[in-house]
Amino acid sequence: MRMRAAVLEEFGQPLVVQELDLAEPKAGEVLVRLVACGVCHTDMYTASGVDPSGYAPTVLGHEGAGVVEAIGEGVSDLAVGDHVVTLFSPQCRECVHCVSPKTNICLAIRDQQGQGHLPDGTTRLSRDGEPIRHFMGTSTFAEYTVMAQIALAKVSPEAPLDRACLFACGLSTGLGAAMYTAKVQEGATVVVFGAGMVGLGAVAGARLQGAERIVCVDLSDERLAMARHQGATDTLIGGADTVDRILEMTGGFGADYTIEATGLVSVMRQAVESARMGWGLATMCGVAGKGETLDIVPRLLITGRRVAGSSFGGVKGRDQVPLLVQRYLDGDIDVDAFLSHRITLDQVNDGFELMEAQDGIRSVIEFGS
Ligand SMILES: NC(=O)c1ccc[n+]([C@@H]2O[C@H](COP(=O)([O-])OP(=O)(O)OC[C@H]3O[C@@H](n4cnc5c(N)ncnc54)[C@H](O)[C@@H]3O)[C@@H](O)[C@H]2O)c1
Ligand SMILES: [Zn+2]
Ligand SMILES: [Zn+2]
């Protein structure tokens, strides 16, 4: 079939919306008609050319939600008409990681996905007979995509897809960091660094876990107001004195849990240093620049602090994204607050500009609009 998609032709250049060919789903694959897709930092990061593993041409986009249009051979978990959220972090339910409750990092299609291929080593995307590589196994800046069935979460048809798409990356990453990686306990004190999509999700996740005190640190008053709306009990403008201020607020000890959602190694260090002696757990969500390292004074670890990293919030996508979406439907998470701008596929580059200007939390592409 022919469909329109936003192609990264050249690093550092605007994406070019154009018609491409999309082949039918093969065994274990699913054709999805995208209804909505968020614009995330990772798309912009890859488009910029800074990511050493990036390639072009490719169709970017990974925060998608849509409707199943066709299924390939052997697809048993999904049927035509199902509402789905795309998963850059798949869940095969069979590999050694999937069967362990300790991690959400599925091993099944990692290599092929990283190379821009579907699991069988080929692409369904092409232009004039030339294969075009997929991105993150999703390529959702497009009217349609073909994806592995293990990379799709079936969600309630009651969830509006322009909200559900946010669970494909940023929101689940934040919620999950608090709920599944840190496993914040009731009554705890939590500090969240950064109040973008991920940090705000972490604030909401800490609230859902029953945290008593949730401190959010950011540079923007506007974003800190959003953090209070999501459940932060205290807010701070970040700076060189952040660790001292958090220690002051916690009787000199630090917080039970700290969650970093900025991507800055200097802030990651603050997250470690403001975790409580004895049992404080510092969870890193941010993606740092290539070659950057996190400095930790080892004494901080010997005296009981722990450091964890969190990819996609530790969320096992097919099992847990539907549960998170259900909590939204139950009224536990205000997702509307994150949807700042609605744009068309042709305006995808405007989505990058809005993100660069920190205008709003998320721009969402609505297809067919
Ligand atoms: N681990 C994963 O699976 C995963 C998934 C999605 C995003 N991410 C990463 O998470 C990070 C956050 O993503 P986002 O979409 O929320 O980004 P964002 O840019 O919207 O938010 C980052 C926030 O950090 C704040 N900030 C900057 N400097 C600060 C400081 N010194 N102290 C406190 N706050 C400060 C900014 O004001 C901003 O509000 C990024 O690095 C992103 O790449 C990781
Ligand atoms: Zn993302
Ligand atoms: Zn797996």
Side-chain angles (χ1 to χ4, degrees), residues 41 169 173 194-198 217-219 223 261-264 267 285-287 310-312 358 362:
H41 287 273
C169 179
T173 297
M197 179 82 270
V198 176
V217 188
D218 199 284
L219 304 180
R223 289 193 164 199
T262 67
L264 302 169
V267 177
C285 299
V287 178
S310 184
S311 170
F312 194 45
Q358 270 206 14
R362 268 296 189 270

Side-chain angles (χ1 to χ4, degrees), residues 217 219 237-245 266 270 273:
V217 188
L219 304 180
I237 293 284
D241 63 346
T242 301
V243 175
D244 289 338
R245 293 181 65 187
S266 58
Q270 291 182 333
E273 294 178 355

Side-chain angles (χ1 to χ4, degrees), residues 275-330:
R276 196 190 197 286
M277 174 190 181
W279 61 72
L281 176 64
T283 300
M284 308 299 149
C285 299
V287 178
K290 184 181 186 287
E292 290 185 320
T293 57
L294 167 56
D295 275 335
I296 301 175
V297 177
R299 181 182 46 80
L300 294 176
L301 303 180
I302 291 168
T303 47
R305 294 165 192 84
R306 293 172 302 140
V307 180
S310 184
S311 170
F312 194 45
V315 174
K316 287 186 184 274
R318 286 161 85 198
D319 293 345
Q320 292 170 327
V321 164
L323 302 179
L324 294 175
V325 170
Q326 190 56 49
R327 295 211 67 170
Y328 152 60
L329 290 173
D330 293 344

Side-chain angles (χ1 to χ4, degrees), residues 12-84:
Q13 297 296 316
L15 306 187
V16 184
V17 177
Q18 58 194 270
E19 281 213 335
L20 294 182
D21 293 305
L22 185 66
E24 284 178 9
K26 291 194 185 175
E29 299 171 1
V30 175
L31 171 68
V32 177
R33 174 174 59 84
L34 275 314
V35 173
C37 180
V39 179
C40 170
H41 287 273
T42 309
D43 302 305
M44 196 165 70
Y45 181 61
T46 300
S48 73
V50 181
D51 179 3
S53 61
Y55 44 78
T58 186
V59 175
L60 296 180
H62 63 285
E63 237 179 57
V67 180
V68 172
E69 288 280 309
I71 56 172
E73 208 187 300
V75 172
S76 49
D77 283 6
L78 290 169
V80 172
D82 282 348
H83 286 203
V84 288

Side-chain angles (χ1 to χ4, degrees), residues 171 175 192 195-209 211 214 216 222-233 235 328 331-339 361:
L171 181 52
L175 288 166
V192 176
M197 179 82 270
V198 176
L200 292 169
V203 168
R207 171 177 52 78
L208 293 178
Q209 293 291 104
I214 304 169
C216 188
E222 200 184 326
R223 289 193 164 199
L224 289 175
M226 297 189 75
R228 284 192 290 277
H229 175 72
Q230 294 296 333
T233 55
T235 52
Y328 152 60
D332 292 340
I333 310 163
D334 178 14
V335 177
D336 295 10
F338 303 125
L339 207 173
I361 298 298

Side-chain angles (χ1 to χ4, degrees), residues 90-99 104-109 150 316 318:
Q91 184 191 358
C92 76
R93 296 186 172 134
E94 286 168 9
C95 74
V96 64
H97 281 188
C98 278
V99 299
N104 67 328
I105 301 177
C106 174
L107 300 172
I109 59 174
I150 64 167
K316 287 186 184 274
R318 286 161 85 198

